[in-house]
C-alpha cells in the first residue's frame, strides 16, 4: 500500500481515538501522497467528526513556512477537489 492508502485506512481509527475536539498528526509524506479527491475525503471526515489533523506539505516555491486551515469551504483552493460537495 502507498502511504496515502495507509492513511485512508487508518484515518477512522485516529478520529475515533482522539474523539470530538481531538487533535492528531500524520506524516507529511502521507498527505502529499493523496490526490485531491482523497485529500477532500480526509478534510470532510475530520470536519464531520470535529477533529483537527495536523500535517505538512512542501510548497511549490520551497520557501516560507506557514499554517493553513483547510475546511470543506476552501478545500478546492487547497487541493483542487470540489468544495461544497465534499
Amino acid at each position: 500500500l502507498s502511504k496515502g492508502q495507509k492513511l485512508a485506512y487508518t484515518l477512522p481509527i485516529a478520529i475515533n481515538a482522539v474523539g470530538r475536539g481531538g487533535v492528531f498528526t500524520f506524516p507529511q509524506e502521507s498527505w502529499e501522497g493523496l490526490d485531491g479527491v482523497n485529500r477532500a475525503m480526509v478534510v470532510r471526515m475530520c470536519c464531520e467528526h470535529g477533529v483537527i489533523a495536523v500535517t505538512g506539505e512542501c510548497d511549490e516555491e520551497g520557501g516560507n513556512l506557514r499554517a493553513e486551515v483547510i475546511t470543506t469551504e476552501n478545500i478546492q483552493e487547497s487541493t483542487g477537489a470540489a468544495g461544497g460537495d465534499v
Side-chain angles (χ1 to χ4, degrees), residues 21-52:
V23 178
F24 68 93
T25 64
F26 56 86
Q28 176 177 337
E29 299 85 13
S30 296
W31 178 253
E32 290 177 341
L34 295 175
D35 62 15
V37 171
N38 285 304
R39 285 183 177 197
M41 182 261 318
V42 169
V43 172
R44 179 182 44 78
M45 287 181 68
C46 288
C47 289
E48 286 175 357
H49 292 90
V51 171
I52 297 170

